[in-house]
Amino acid sequence: MPLIRTPATAKGRLARHVLAYNAARLALVAVAAGVIVVVDALTGLDLPVVLVLLIALATSLPLSAFALRRLRRTINADIEAVDRERSATRSAPAAPRRNTDERA
């Protein structure tokens, strides 16, 4: 039995891909912060941690737009699938309701 099951519904796939995308973006910020900390240690600039994180965030945003393009397209396709399922269930004719308040 696999450790992580493949979701059977479009909503499950969407949730899984969004979590993976957010984890990848967080990893990019961590890598960028690590690189900045190493450069800071080598050059002796002594940057504050908040500034390191802001610089890492600012550099990872355009990098993630380029590096994670395929995952974003997958998420967009999943959103379209969820929208199609939702519109199909809304446009389906509702089952006739039974009148349970029948008075003889």
Side-chain angles (χ1 to χ4, degrees):
M1 178 177 209
L3 183 62
I4 299 174
R5 293 184 315 145
T6 302
T9 64
K11 283 184 183 180
R13 285 189 303 273
L14 175 62
R16 181 176 168 196
H17 289 140
V18 167
L19 287 174
Y21 180 72
N22 286 327
R25 287 188 67 184
L26 186 61
L28 279 174
V29 171
V31 167
V35 168
I36 293 169
V37 166
V38 168
V39 169
D40 180 36
L42 292 175
T43 59
L45 292 175
D46 197 30
L47 295 173
V49 174
V50 174
L51 185 59
V52 168
L53 290 176
L54 285 174
I55 293 170
L57 184 64
T59 57
S60 68
L61 284 175
L63 183 62
S64 70
F66 177 73
L68 303 176
R69 186 180 320 150
R70 177 184 280 168
L71 190 53
R72 276 198 340 259
R73 287 180 182 161
T74 304
I75 290 172
N76 288 339
D78 290 341
I79 290 171
E80 290 174 6
V82 169
D83 287 343
R84 278 193 306 269
E85 285 181 6
R86 187 175 293 151
S87 66
T89 58
R90 286 185 181 174
S91 66
R97 291 186 175 181
R98 296 175 56 193
N99 190 1
T100 58
D101 190 28
E102 292 180 13
R103 295 184 183 164

